[in-house]
Amino acid sequence: MNDTDLATLVRDAVHDTRMTVPEADITRRARTLRTRRRLTAGTVVSAGVAAIALAAATVAAPAGSPAPGRPHDAAQLTAWTVTNEPGGVVDVTIRQLKDPAGLQARLRADGVPAITTLSGTDPACRNYYPDGRYFSPQYLALFGPGEHSYDNGSVTEVVTSAPPASHNGVVSAPLSRLQGFTLAIRPARMPHGTAFLIAARPTYVYAWGLVKTGPSCTG
Amino acid sequence: MPDFADFYRDAKDDCLRTVMISTGDPELAQDLVAEAFARACASWPKVARHPNPTAWVVRTALNVRTDRWRIRRREMPLLEPADAGRHDPDPADPTIIDAVRRLPERQRQVVACRLLLDLDTETTAETLGISPGTVKSHLFRALAALREDLKLKEQIP
């Protein structure tokens, strides 16, 4: 067999292999990349001014409190990150739930009807699942099989494993176990009339899951 | 300037096959090629002027893979394979693909670019960041190894 025949053999072997990602997913991801590039460019241009402002504000502010006038992008980079992934998945990585309103706005802009709060569970929202759990087998079905996320050298399996604890109907985990974690959300698979709640009690738990939306709970 | 949608429709399968042969992992290849096309779309006015946008996508996909590997090596513990027991939906001929997978990675990349994308030696060299002479020698060795491997399995006379 000569090289041409061998090449034909290799071509034929993969002939039926097809790309299955829809073009809409590609262009959606491209929009995110363009937006990020514009933000990065803007950040570079204003980096000097922002750094001076941030330094001055940090010195003036009490330790541990948000610095007044702190650039929004700086808070995003340190506290949480939202990225659009192929397949309609929105990854949100949370290191600290600072600026929950900013996170909520960003997630909504990326198509996730989200509610974020620093006060624990929003009392005006009811769990989507009637048994009081935010996580449930049905909820886990929102994610694709085998999806998991990595952060800070640890692995937070948010897809195939049960949540680590339950506290008053809120799925939660100690911060020591969640020094940065990533949730992979497929907004297209969220049931109609639901929102994705991300809540934190600043000292000891994070919680996330589906809630029913309504007049007093707008996702 | 050609339309990105047309480019994606025409080039996606070739790019996927090339990256799949290069990486040996169909699912990873889908992910890498999707990301590479997204980057191409994000910079389409520039990529459309590239002498070979398809080669650009393949090169980007392989770079994404390298970048992710570096990040994961730094940040993640080694895990059990996430795809253990996974049903592999890839319809490719397993005998040929297994033979290609046994080649060294660089040889796989050269085979993919030269045979699947029909890139010439110079473009393959540019895409993979190696010299044209290296492309020729990798291709020669790869074809010899494939021929020998498949002959042992009586795929070819």
Side-chain angles (χ1 to χ4, degrees):
Chain A
M1 175 174 275
N2 59 30
D3 288 353
T4 305
D5 294 336
L6 191 54
T8 303
L9 206 59
V10 174
R11 283 192 202 100
D12 289 349
V14 295
H15 183 263
D16 292 333
T17 300
R18 307 278 180 206
M19 185 80 179
T20 57
V21 179
E23 190 217 333
D25 289 354
I26 302 291
T27 52
R28 190 178 306 119
R29 168 75 174 146
R31 277 197 297 274
T32 302
L33 292 172
R34 279 193 291 264
T35 302
R36 192 177 301 163
R37 200 163 51 204
R38 280 196 295 271
L39 287 173
T40 303
T43 302
V44 168
V45 168
S46 60
V49 176
I52 293 169
L54 178 62
T58 302
V59 167
S65 68
R70 182 175 185 166
H72 185 66
D73 286 344
Q76 286 186 341
L77 288 173
T78 55
W80 44 261
T81 309
V82 177
T83 54
N84 280 273
E85 300 296 335
V89 175
V90 177
D91 278 353
V92 52
T93 299
I94 298 175
R95 301 171 190 88
Q96 295 173 294
L97 195 47
K98 289 180 178 176
D99 188 18
L103 174 58
Q104 177 174 295
R106 174 62 195 270
L107 284 169
R108 291 185 180 191
D110 286 341
V112 178
I115 300 172
T116 63
T117 172
L118 272 175
S119 59
T121 307
D122 184 342
C125 293
R126 289 183 298 148
N127 297 343
Y128 175 71
Y129 295 104
D131 58 6
R133 294 178 303 167
Y134 283 170
F135 269 89
S136 79
Q138 296 95 317
Y139 170 76
L140 295 177
L142 293 172
F143 301 96
E147 287 176 5
H148 44 257
S149 303
Y150 307 90
D151 196 69
N152 281 356
S154 64
V155 176
T156 303
E157 179 66 70
V158 298
V159 178
T160 59
S161 63
S166 180
H167 177 76
N168 293 338
V170 178
V171 175
S172 60
L175 288 182
S176 59
R177 289 191 60 186
L178 293 173
Q179 292 298 316
F181 61 99
T182 300
L183 303 170
I185 306 167
R186 285 179 186 271
R189 295 193 197 173
M190 291 175 63
H192 179 70
T194 63
F196 195 92
L197 173 70
I198 300 174
R201 294 181 176 89
T203 53
Y204 68 102
V205 297
Y206 281 105
W208 57 85
L210 282 184
V211 292
K212 291 179 181 176
T213 55
S216 57
C217 176
T218 53
Chain B
M1 184 172 69
D3 186 54
F4 175 79
D6 294 338
F7 170 64
Y8 182 67
R9 185 193 63 229
D10 295 340
K12 62 188 172 70
D13 292 336
D14 282 340
C15 288
L16 175 66
R17 292 165 191 152
T18 303
V19 175
M20 188 192 77
I21 288 286
S22 298
T23 63
D25 184 335
E27 198 161 310
L28 173 66
Q30 287 264 0
D31 191 31
L32 296 175
V33 172
E35 176 65 18
F37 268 110
R39 293 184 186 188
C41 182
S43 305
W44 184 236
K46 173 185 158 193
V47 176
R49 290 196 304 270
H50 190 277
N52 193 325
T54 304
W56 188 96
V57 169
V58 169
R59 172 66 184 259
T60 300
L62 296 176
N63 286 346
V64 170
R65 181 191 182 219
T66 304
D67 292 345
R68 289 184 182 178
W69 178 79
R70 284 177 179 146
I71 291 170
R72 291 186 176 191
R73 185 181 59 164
R74 189 170 63 244
E75 293 190 347
M76 293 195 313
L78 190 60
L79 303 173
E80 290 298 316
D83 58 353
R86 180 188 71 193
H87 171 65
D88 187 348
D90 180 63
D93 183 329
T95 306
I96 308 295
I97 297 304
D98 285 348
V100 174
R101 278 179 179 145
R102 280 191 282 273
L103 297 174
E105 181 170 8
R106 190 59 97 184
Q107 289 186 19
R108 290 201 307 268
Q109 293 173 348
V110 169
V111 164
C113 288
R114 294 283 283 115
L115 304 189
L116 298 181
L117 281 189
D118 278 332
L119 299 183
D120 59 27
T121 299
E122 284 69 26
T123 309
T124 300
E126 191 176 326
T127 300
L128 300 179
I130 56 181
S131 73
T134 305
V135 169
K136 290 177 184 172
S137 65
H138 276 317
L139 184 62
F140 177 79
R141 289 173 189 159
L143 292 177
L146 277 178
R147 190 178 290 111
E148 188 64 27
D149 197 343
L150 296 175
K151 191 183 293 180
L152 290 174
K153 292 182 172 51
E154 300 179 350
Q155 286 289 309
I156 60 175

